[in-house]
Structure formats: structure tokens, C-alpha cells
Amino acid sequence: MAKMINKTLVLTYIYLLIYIILSSGVILYNKWVLSPKYFNFPLPITLTMIHMGFAGFVAFLLIRVFKVVAPVKMTFEIYATCVVPISAFFASSLWFGNTAYLHISVAFIQMLKALMPVATFIMAVVCGTDKPRCDVFSNMLLVSVGVVISSYGEIHFNVVGTVYQVTGIFAEALRLVLTQVLLQKKGLTLNPITSLYYIAPCSFVFLALPWYVLEKPTMEVAQIQFNFWIFFSNALCALALNFSIFLVIGRTGAVTIRVAGVLKDWILIALSTVIFPESTITGLNITGYAIALCGVVMYNYIKVRDVKASQPTADSLPDRINKEYKMEKKSSDKFNPNDSGEIPRVGAEINDEEAPLITSRLSHIGRTQLGNHPA
């Protein structure tokens, strides 16, 4: 039993470490590529389209050529009414989020991302998938106050970059809620590979119009350098992040994931100030962000508490580890789809805007499954 516990803990920490490294790495890499002070490729839509094209191509190979998983039953009606609008907001969130790198620092962007639970809750209430609650509202207010304080303390505050980032956050929040409302009602579950297969190409098409209007003229006039290995490795890191999140969600619990997310944010803020010296953090920045994180942690606690309250019984630790060990022996590091070609959902929530294609791991979705994987 001790060996099983140790093995489970070691695997958990390895997967969490991989997730933190890849998530932080992708964000810092994107900033380095886009920043005029470094690689100087100030074309965020083009970079996003490269990511989408590469992800869609890899997913096509995995599904159609190597047949790692089977495609889901996708009708034209489901694609037009579900995949298309979700892809539109997904493309928008990536477009606005990547554009923010041109105007504000990575550290300040991470502080603004604390608004994600606020945006998701607002959109869920507007769309009728959640109800207003005093306890949640007080946490959202605390988060908002913290972000305002952090913004006030930002030395290099830029209105344009802030607007881009906040708009991207709300676009991503709306995408999360739409995924619940549209895909879940259709009974459609997308694993990481099928998500890439259906959503990435559609997002690529949506990005083509703003690219043609905003960035194509710039590419024709300016001397833009294009290094194949830089963009290939950048897209590969973004793709690997999608799959690392899948591993984290499948092997850990909701509390662990949320704690890892908070830890990643702090690490990323510290690293960004070292890698990008122009990023200056003030005491007011840290104070505001700490206040916002308190609200986020309390919100996460409420969410996990609600999920556990909905569970009739809970397995003891030995039983839980024994189940995980048996499942581990049957599984491999590859994706093992069930008879329908879909990977069983684990409803843990990870909101990583760099890898939002894992559409079945959303806020308010899979609550019954979430409680089966406590941290």
C-alpha cells in the first residue's frame, strides 16, 4: 500500500511539474516571439493561426491516418450551431490575449487573469447556467478590488493592452459557458484530440479575416523575419500543453489542480521579471494580486465544497488509491479511447487560456465526475 501511495504521489507531482513548465514556457515563449524588443514578430493573429494550423494538422494525422482515436459523430447541424460559435469565441480569446503581449508585461497579464472566475460567473448567470449567490458575489467583488489595486500600482499601465486582455478573458469565459450550453445539451463530448480536430481548423478560418485586414498589409511592407524552427517549436509547445493538461486532469483532483494553477501564476510572475527586465513589479501590484488570489481561492473552495456536497458517499483514501492503481495498470501513456472513441470525462476545471481546446473540462461541467477525484 505504501508503494502504491508513493507511486501515485510521484506521478502526480511529475504531471503537475510538466504542466507548470509547459504552461509557463508557452506564455513566456509567446511573449518573446511577439515582443519588438526580442524576436520582433509583432503579428499575434499570424502566430495564433500558426498554432491552429499546426494543431489541426496533428489532430488530423492522429485521427485519420494513425487512428489513435475515432472521430465523434458530427452532423452539419451540430457543427454549425455548436462548433462554429465556440470556435469563434475561442479564436477571439486567443487573438485578444496574444495581442496584449505587445502592450503590457507578462506579470501584469497574469494579474489581470485573476478576473477569469469573475468573467465566467457573470457569463454563466447571463446565460442561465448558474444563479446569483451572495457568497460567490462577495468573492467576485474581492477579486475585482484586488485587480483594480494591482492595475493602479502598475508602472507601465497601458489602456490598450489592458482592454485587449480583459476582452480576451470575457471571450474565453463566454466560450466556456457556450460549450456547456451547446455541446453538453447535444450530448457531445470532445477529448483533447477531437477538440483540436474540429475546433482548430474552424478557429483558423475565423482568424483569417482579421489577419487579412490587419496583418497582411504589414507583412507585405515590413521586413518580418520568419524562422521555421522558432515557430515549429512554439507551436509544438502549445500542442504539448494541451495534452499535459489532459494528464493532470486525469491523475489529480480539483483542489490539487487549482493549487497548481495558483503556484504557476506566482512562478510565472517571478520568471517574467527575470527574463524580461523591463517588467517591473511594485508593492501595490503584489498587494492587489494577493487580494485577488484570496478571492479566487475562496471561490475555488466553494466550488469544490459544492461538488463534494453533491456526492452521496466518498471513498476512503486506501480504496481511492487502490482504484487509481488498478486503473493505472490498465492504462498506458497513450490515449486509450472507449468504444465510442471518446476519453471518459473528468470534470476538473483548468482554465488555461494557452490550451483551452480541452472543452469537456469546464467550469460547472462534469460535477458528478469531479468529486470522484479528490486531491
Side-chain angles (χ1 to χ4, degrees):
M1 180 61 66
K3 289 184 178 179
M4 286 192 296
I5 294 176
N6 290 335
K7 184 179 179 180
T8 302
L9 287 175
V10 169
L11 283 175
T12 297
Y13 287 127
I14 289 175
Y15 292 140
L16 287 173
L17 181 62
I18 292 172
Y19 159 69
I20 291 174
I21 291 174
L22 284 174
S23 181
S24 302
V26 168
I27 292 173
L28 295 172
Y29 204 168
N30 286 349
K31 172 67 175 180
W32 181 82
V33 170
L34 292 169
S35 176
K37 295 183 178 180
Y38 297 95
F39 186 71
N40 191 24
F41 187 81
L43 304 171
I45 304 177
T46 304
L47 183 65
T48 306
M49 291 179 71
I50 292 173
H51 288 179
M52 294 299 96
F54 180 77
F57 175 70
V58 172
F60 175 82
L61 292 179
L62 293 175
I63 291 177
R64 295 298 182 184
V65 179
F66 300 107
K67 302 186 184 301
V68 177
V69 297
V72 300
K73 295 180 180 179
M74 180 70 67
T75 65
F76 176 79
E77 185 263 340
I78 293 178
Y79 192 87
T81 60
C82 299
V83 175
V84 170
I86 289 171
S87 300
F89 284 103
F90 173 45
S92 300
S93 67
L94 292 181
W95 169 19
F96 295 134
N98 282 336
T99 303
Y101 288 122
L102 297 176
H103 304 280
I104 53 181
S105 67
V106 171
F108 186 49
I109 285 174
Q110 292 306 120
M111 295 176 189
L112 290 176
K113 285 177 184 175
L115 286 172
M116 189 65 202
V118 179
T120 305
F121 178 69
I122 291 173
M123 292 302 176
V125 172
V126 171
C127 294
T129 61
D130 207 342
K131 297 180 180 179
R133 294 169 50 180
C134 291
D135 53 352
V136 176
F137 178 78
S138 61
N139 291 333
M140 299 301 97
L141 185 62
L142 185 62
V143 172
S144 301
V145 169
V147 171
V148 169
I149 294 174
S150 181
S151 301
Y152 184 77
E154 177 64 17
I155 295 177
H156 304 292
F157 183 81
N158 183 285
V159 176
V160 175
T162 303
V163 170
Y164 268 118
Q165 183 59 45
V166 173
T167 304
I169 289 172
F170 274 88
E172 172 64 7
L174 186 55
R175 186 196 67 82
L176 293 175
V177 176
L178 280 180
T179 302
Q180 178 187 4
V181 173
L182 299 177
L183 286 184
Q184 298 298 315
K185 284 188 177 180
K186 300 289 185 181
L188 186 66
T189 301
L190 300 178
N191 62 52
I193 301 177
T194 53
S195 295
L196 292 167
Y197 180 72
Y198 291 109
I199 295 178
C202 189
S203 298
F204 182 93
V205 173
F206 273 109
L207 290 167
L209 180 59
W211 172 81
Y212 185 83
V213 174
L214 299 175
E215 294 190 359
K216 183 176 180 293
T218 303
M219 296 179 70
E220 293 175 347
V221 177
Q223 294 292 328
I224 301 297
Q225 59 175 329
F226 189 92
N227 186 307
F228 171 80
W229 294 109
I230 292 292
F231 292 104
F232 174 75
S233 59
N234 183 257
L236 188 63
C237 288
L239 181 67
L241 177 58
N242 279 278
F243 296 127
S244 74
I245 293 179
F246 169 76
L247 289 175
V248 169
I249 290 173
R251 301 283 183 163
T252 64
V255 175
T256 306
I257 290 171
R258 287 168 169 83
V259 171
V262 173
L263 177 63
K264 181 211 72 174
D265 290 340
W266 281 108
I267 292 175
L268 190 53
I269 289 173
L271 279 177
S272 68
T273 59
V274 175
I275 298 175
F276 307 110
E278 68 275 9
S279 300
T280 305
I281 299 179
T282 65
L284 208 53
N285 280 143
I286 297 299
T287 302
Y289 186 54
I291 293 173
L293 278 185
C294 288
V296 172
V297 170
M298 291 169 63
Y299 170 76
N300 288 336
Y301 169 76
I302 291 174
K303 297 282 290 181
V304 175
R305 183 192 63 189
D306 291 345
V307 171
K308 289 184 177 180
S310 67
Q311 301 301 309
T313 57
D315 293 332
S316 63
L317 180 61
D319 291 338
R320 197 163 67 234
I321 293 176
N322 189 41
K323 287 181 180 180
E324 291 178 357
Y325 179 71
K326 289 180 179 179
M327 290 177 64
E328 230 171 76
K329 292 181 68 177
K330 295 179 182 179
S331 64
S332 66
D333 290 336
K334 294 183 179 180
F335 293 107
N336 293 312
N338 58 26
D339 294 337
S340 65
E342 297 173 0
I343 297 173
R345 283 180 299 159
V346 182
E349 175 186 351
I350 264 194
N351 287 327
D352 198 313
E353 74 300 328
E354 297 301 327
L357 285 172
I358 305 184
T359 53
S360 60
R361 281 77 172 166
L362 304 177
S363 175
H364 314 294
I365 293 179
R367 294 186 177 214
T368 56
Q369 290 89 347
L370 178 60
N372 294 332
H373 295 266

